[in-house]
């Protein structure tokens, strides 16, 4: 599939590059603004996904559906806003830095919406999601390797590429891997919009788990 159908593989370079940029923009954002503030701005991805699905997939939504997108975004913002109260404002000084962080969060949200809709279009074909994931990795792994080398080449040369990897690190890697496959299945069979709504369920579980852990600490 990859060798005999190179055009399809090249098409997957688009979401691969977008997801790579998105992940790096999130890290860039929290360099200049607090993590809760970054997450609040990043929740605009819900509306971005809906808008791109209209533009790219020619989908049409009723007024009540648009209202649900807005309410979903506002609800997630309010949840994050409560947690942001414990953080003393923005971590960097200067309006310019604040704007950079905000723009990075909005940029990551836009890329997230576009990538989800683009992948929904690609996943609707006959090619399996396993092949699609391999096609994406062909582009994402070199891009992230280059970024890592530029930032931490001295450490890699001294201590090796797996410096700092522990059991908990590998558990996170496994969880992210499984999560990535589940997201691909959700986009293929449910669509990018329902996938976005499903991600909010994760936020609910996160709040419940955080509350339970906090109660145990008390």
């Amino acid at each position: 599939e990859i060798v005999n159908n190179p055009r399809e593989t090249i098409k997957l370079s688009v979401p691969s590059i977008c997801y790579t940029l998105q992940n790096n923009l999130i890290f860039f954002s929290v360099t200049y603004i607090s993590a809760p503030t970054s997450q609040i701005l990043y929740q605009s991805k819900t509306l971005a996904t809906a808008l791109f699905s209209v533009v790219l997939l020619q989908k049409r939504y009723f007024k009540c559906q648009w209202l649900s997108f807005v309410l979903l975004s506002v609800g997630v913002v309010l949840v994050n806003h409560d947690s942001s109260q414990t953080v003393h404002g923005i971590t960097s000084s200067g309006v310019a830095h604040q704007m950079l962080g905000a723009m990075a969060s909005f940029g990551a949200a836009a890329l997230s919406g576009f990538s989800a809709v683009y992948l929904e279009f690609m996943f609707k074909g006959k090619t399996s999601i396993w092949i699609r994931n391999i096609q994406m990795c062909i582009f994402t792994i070199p891009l992230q390797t280059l970024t890592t080398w530029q930032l931490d080449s001295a450490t890699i040369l001294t201590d090796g590429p797996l410096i700092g990897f522990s059991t908990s690190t590998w558990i996170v890697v496994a969880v992210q891997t499984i999560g990535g496959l589940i997201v691909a299945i959700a986009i293929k069979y449910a669509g990018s919009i329902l996938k976005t709504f499903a991600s909010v369920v994760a936020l609910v579980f996160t709040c419940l788990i955080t509350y339970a852990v906090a109660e145990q600490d008390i």
Side-chain angles (χ1 to χ4, degrees), residues 51-64:
L51 290 173
F52 278 116
S53 66
V54 170
V55 175
L56 299 180
L57 300 180
Q58 303 299 312
K59 288 189 175 181
R60 294 292 181 266
Y61 299 106
F62 298 109
K63 291 182 179 180
C64 61

Side-chain angles (χ1 to χ4, degrees), residues 36-37 39-40 43 71-86 199-208 210:
T37 303
Q39 281 299 306
I40 288 174
Q43 298 312 317
L71 290 176
L72 177 65
S73 301
V74 172
V76 174
V77 166
L78 290 176
V79 170
N80 282 278
H81 180 68
D82 288 338
S83 64
S84 68
Q85 299 302 314
T86 59
S199 66
V200 179
V201 178
L203 178 62
V204 174
F205 279 111
T206 300
C207 292
L208 294 175
T210 302

Side-chain angles (χ1 to χ4, degrees), residues 20-34:
T20 303
L21 291 175
Q22 170 196 328
N23 291 332
N24 286 287
L25 280 174
I26 292 174
F27 283 108
F28 180 83
S29 173
V30 297
T31 303
Y32 294 105
I33 59 179
S34 66

